[in-house]
Amino acid sequence: MLKKYEKFLEAFDNELRGYFSEHKEYLKCKKGCTDCCEKGEYPFSRLEAEYLMYGFVKLPEEIKSEIRENIRELKIAEKNFNGERFLYKCPFLVNYACALYERRGIVCRTFGLAYLREDNTIQLPNCTNLGLNYAQQYNKETGEIFLENPVKKELTIDKILRSNQAEKYELECGEIRPLIEWF
């Protein structure tokens, strides 16, 4: 199944490169920017979590140890959390970089892009409010977004992993949960 998923990712990444290219004038993403990795739920399917962990076992022991400690601290924080949504720093973020970048999930691959939702509204990335991606196209006061060409495909993990493209690769993705729940 992981081989099929890798083939799917190859096709999906090609599609994403086109989206990122079309939107490059709006994007401020650059190496070292970790805003999207600092606070989220990071929904991952069972298949994505398996793929991620397959890469984890191949990491150098010192990196694995740091990630294990990050996970341990997150699990403690989650246990003591009383709010609605537990948002956290991704445990695979090490020294301002993803320790498993090549194996990152769909949610990570699509971070930063604005896209059209099913209800025909535009979903902006969280970093827009920080003056980053699409900030010049968004009016905070009115809530208006000035985009000539948003991504026409809904870029949620649920839609992507249940798309015709995913079906073509006969993927069995399993349930989708916040990353921290897979540990």
Side-chain angles (χ1 to χ4, degrees):
M1 185 57 61
L2 293 181
K3 291 290 182 201
K4 289 180 183 181
Y5 182 62
E6 285 177 334
K7 289 187 183 305
F8 163 77
L9 282 179
E10 188 177 316
F12 183 67
D13 283 346
N14 282 334
E15 184 178 357
L16 279 180
R17 273 191 283 285
Y19 295 154
F20 278 102
S21 179
E22 285 176 20
H23 287 234
K24 66 183 171 194
E25 67 184 279
Y26 310 131
L27 303 175
K28 309 296 182 217
C29 300
K30 60 183 182 284
K31 191 171 185 160
C33 179
T34 60
D35 180 68
C36 48
C37 309
E38 297 284 343
K39 193 175 187 180
E41 287 181 299
Y42 317 105
F44 269 61
S45 69
R46 178 195 44 78
L47 179 60
E48 290 176 287
E50 282 179 35
Y51 186 67
L52 189 72
M53 295 315 293
Y54 185 75
F56 172 80
V57 298
K58 296 178 180 181
L59 288 173
E61 194 53 48
E62 66 187 46
I63 301 292
K64 287 195 290 192
S65 181
E66 188 169 342
I67 292 168
R68 283 186 194 109
E69 181 61 20
N70 291 345
I71 292 169
R72 188 185 72 72
E73 289 174 8
L74 281 174
K75 292 304 270 182
I76 290 168
E78 180 187 38
K79 189 176 185 178
N80 295 321
F81 181 73
N82 293 333
E84 274 184 45
R85 291 178 58 205
F86 181 60
L87 302 177
Y88 52 92
K89 178 179 163 185
C90 178
F92 296 99
L93 184 63
V94 176
N95 298 322
Y96 300 98
C98 180
L100 290 167
Y101 185 79
E102 292 301 318
R103 293 184 171 270
R104 68 197 185 285
I106 299 293
V107 68
C108 307
R109 291 169 192 270
T110 60
F111 271 147
L113 284 173
Y115 59 89
L116 205 56
R117 288 189 274 198
E118 209 171 275
D119 64 2
N120 280 334
T121 60
I122 296 174
Q123 175 68 49
L124 291 171
N126 291 337
C127 64
T128 300
N129 292 319
L130 300 174
L132 298 172
N133 295 2
Y134 305 96
Q136 306 302 320
Q137 288 67 42
Y138 178 61
N139 183 325
K140 282 184 184 180
E141 292 174 16
T142 65
E144 291 180 295
I145 304 162
F146 305 98
L147 277 181
E148 289 180 32
N149 190 22
V151 174
K152 300 283 192 259
K153 181 176 187 174
E154 191 172 351
L155 294 177
T156 61
I157 181 176
D158 190 44
K159 293 287 185 184
I160 292 165
L161 291 178
R162 286 160 179 68
S163 67
N164 290 338
Q165 188 177 23
E167 285 180 20
K168 174 180 162 188
Y169 293 94
E170 301 173 340
L171 296 181
E172 295 173 23
C173 300
E175 69 178 299
I176 297 169
R177 303 191 266 180
L179 181 61
I180 193 71
E181 290 183 17
W182 290 111
F183 306 115

